[in-house]
Amino acid sequence: MPRRLAALLFVALSVSPGALRAQASPYIPTDDPAMPIIEHLIARGAISDPSPMMRPMLRGDLVRALHEAARQPGTAGPVQALLERFDVDTAGPWWEAGGRVGAEAYSTPRQDLFHPVGDASANPYAEARIAAGFANVVAVSRVAVEPRLTDDPDWTGRRNVDLASRLAEGYLSAQFRYVRITYGQVPQNWGPAGLPGIPLSDYGYERQGLTFELGNRTVRLSALATDLNDGVDSSDQTAHRYYFVHRLNVRVAKQLDVAAWEANVLSGVDREFETRYRNPLSVSYLANTIGLGDRGNVMLGADATWRVRPALRLEGQLGVDDFWYQNRQNNRDRYLFTLTAAGPLGDALSWRAMYTEVSSLALRAFNPADNFTDAGVGLGRNFSDYDQLSLRVNVPLRSRWLVTPELALFRQGEGDINTPYPVGAQRQSTPALFIGTMERTWRAGVLVSGEEGPLQLTGDVGLHHVTSAGHVEGETETKLVFRVRGTIGLGWGGRIAED
């Protein structure tokens, strides 16, 4: 891959200046405290979505959408606050640097509050960021020091250290009028806001890779190629593993986007990342799975985003894991889907309703090395055999803060993403949803995010009432769950002098 990457970058940087985008811009991180209020404005229809169901978005794309919306009624405060934050003059070579220090407190070190593991604690948190832009190329590095990581069961890094750290972002991006090539660590979420995407999400931690985008707002082809950690196959041999996901989005009408996508997990002893499996213009299911034949696992999917009317925005995502069109009696259908609805509420609020379901055997395969996981952590969703219904109301405060009350019902079966795939009669008798005793969680909570001057704060606090707790009939518990992070930061920036 390094030689091919070098060739791609060489071709990209050799394009004539007349064909280039005016200026490259960094991505807005998916964990930025401003993202919830951005999603709130999109839900209201106050600003257009630069990249439906694809996060992160470019800072430059957001700024253009904000300028278009600046004169709409009811949005002047939040829109102006976001413009003050993100509308930075990047004419000519530029640089940015900054750091944040603070603390985080949590009831569980795991990011998913519906699957708590471990003890409540509080730890320091710090990060440092540096970025630079040179015409059509931008480079960003953000490193976080986060002691919580060593207690998180989904952290795949070192645990025998007292001060764990991670690369939150670290990428080089070449951006032109119709092409973007990004190499490095860019947390991504391919799916509706508020839930992890099915083919790809930012639930896990470091995901290095090569991302390629071709097209414009009307037609856009996106692809990600990345290595995965080695796994153990069905014969107990160590297998090399790779992941390739690509998506074609078409803006059918001004208010309607539809997309088709495909995700491939490839594995094998001494296997390499063959070219035919990372061709963004290939339909791997047709060309390889039922064509040439392969040794991988393919998930087929589709997305749609539809602004039905100004007061209603619908989104849907469907994934079908390892679809068998023949000999169907020998396998079980494995599926995942998400449906969301959102819209404005009064003069300034918005609402969002979400339902998602992951079937009992989804994300795992006959060959465990073909599971949609990396070192046991999901590439998109991190759990199987559950559904979730949530209703949220977004309340903006002081233009820079968003408070979100939430009511939710979460139901989890005993299916596990890392449990071996059942065989024979056991596979046929496995229910499509909710294996064994179902655990049910009723949630009433509130999410908070925003910033004021150098202060940034994100928080998620909820009261969970759990029945059949731990999948034991009759066990009931009520508990307070929370995750809160507050930091103080400073930042600098300016022009880079040219000879």
Side-chain angles (χ1 to χ4, degrees), residues 39 44 48 67 69 99-100 111 150 198 228 233 246 270 275 293 306 322 328 330 337 405 441 466 486 491 498:
E39 299 291 1
R44 281 188 57 83
S48 60
H67 278 298
R100 310 200 66 83
Q111 298 184 87
T150 57
I198 292 174
L228 302 178
D233 65 12
H246 55 141
D270 298 326
T275 302
W306 184 21
D322 192 21
R328 294 179 54 77
N330 295 328
F337 70 87
T441 301
V466 186
E498 295 187 86

Side-chain angles (χ1 to χ4, degrees), residues 223-241:
L224 168 72
T226 182
D227 300 332
L228 302 178
N229 286 278
D230 289 348
V232 177
D233 65 12
S234 53
S235 61
D236 290 330
Q237 293 182 296
T238 299
H240 299 319
R241 307 177 67 241

Side-chain angles (χ1 to χ4, degrees), residues 33-337:
M35 277 306 301
I37 201 164
I38 293 170
E39 299 291 1
H40 156 71
L41 292 174
I42 292 173
R44 281 188 57 83
I47 62 174
S48 60
D49 192 338
S51 53
M53 286 206 236
M54 295 284 288
R55 298 293 184 264
M57 63 179 68
L58 285 178
R59 187 167 69 186
D61 290 345
L62 172 65
V63 169
R64 281 187 286 274
L66 291 171
H67 278 298
E68 292 174 1
R71 295 186 178 181
Q72 294 190 27
T75 62
V79 168
Q80 186 59 40
L82 290 171
L83 281 171
E84 291 174 4
R85 163 84 186 278
F86 293 111
D87 192 7
V88 180
D89 183 9
T90 56
W94 55 269
W95 65 275
E96 295 174 350
R100 310 200 66 83
V101 295
E104 54 184 0
Y106 44 84
S107 59
T108 171
R110 171 173 267 167
Q111 298 184 87
D112 188 339
L113 295 180
F114 284 111
H115 296 89
V117 174
D119 300 324
S121 185
N123 279 296
Y125 176 89
E127 65 177 46
R129 177 183 181 272
I130 187 169
F134 302 89
N136 296 89
V137 179
V138 62
V140 175
S141 180
R142 178 164 64 104
V143 179
V145 177
E146 198 170 358
R148 174 192 64 85
L149 297 173
T150 57
D151 295 322
D152 186 347
D154 301 322
W155 167 247
T156 59
R158 295 183 62 184
R159 298 185 183 275
N160 60 339
V161 293
D162 296 326
L163 197 64
S165 62
R166 64 186 177 94
L167 180 66
E169 299 174 273
Y171 61 88
L172 178 68
S173 182
Q175 302 168 16
F176 312 105
R177 185 175 183 182
Y178 298 121
V179 179
R180 299 173 185 168
I181 302 171
T182 303
Y183 181 72
Q185 159 68 351
V186 185
Q188 302 185 57
N189 195 71
W190 292 20
L195 292 168
I198 292 174
L200 190 65
S201 82
D202 55 359
Y203 178 83
Y205 293 96
E206 187 167 314
R207 173 77 52 231
Q208 304 279 351
L210 176 65
T211 301
F212 171 83
E213 291 183 278
L214 172 68
N216 56 19
R217 180 61 184 83
T218 302
V219 178
R220 180 173 297 171
L221 176 66
S222 305
L224 168 72
T226 182
D227 300 332
L228 302 178
N229 286 278
D230 289 348
V232 177
D233 65 12
S234 53
S235 61
D236 290 330
Q237 293 182 296
T238 299
H240 299 319
R241 307 177 67 241
Y242 311 93
Y243 190 53
F244 182 71
V245 56
H246 55 141
R247 178 181 187 270
L248 178 64
N249 186 89
V250 178
R251 193 178 192 184
V252 178
K254 184 177 181 180
Q255 306 296 343
L256 176 63
D257 281 83
V258 296
W261 53 265
E262 187 179 59
N264 300 263
V265 173
L266 310 172
S267 70
V269 178
D270 298 326
R271 185 167 191 173
E272 296 183 353
F273 204 165
E274 298 98 323
T275 302
R276 68 183 172 106
Y277 294 104
R278 46 187 167 83
N279 180 352
L281 296 178
S282 171
V283 181
S284 184
Y285 181 80
L286 299 177
N288 297 322
T289 303
I290 61 175
L292 295 175
D294 70 353
R295 298 168 290 165
N297 188 13
V298 178
M299 184 187 296
L300 302 174
D303 301 339
T305 301
W306 184 21
R307 175 70 67 177
V308 182
R309 54 175 66 94
L312 180 62
R313 185 176 195 251
L314 301 178
E315 290 181 305
Q317 184 171 61
L318 170 67
V320 180
D321 183 359
D322 192 21
F323 176 71
W324 287 28
Y325 79 96
Q326 61 183 16
N327 300 321
R328 294 179 54 77
Q329 70 280 1
N330 295 328
N331 197 13
R332 295 300 306 272
D333 287 334
R334 291 167 277 167
Y335 63 86
L336 312 84
F337 70 87

Side-chain angles (χ1 to χ4, degrees), residues 13-25:
L13 295 173
S14 299
V15 177
S16 63
L20 304 184
R21 179 184 295 273
Q23 192 78 27
S25 70

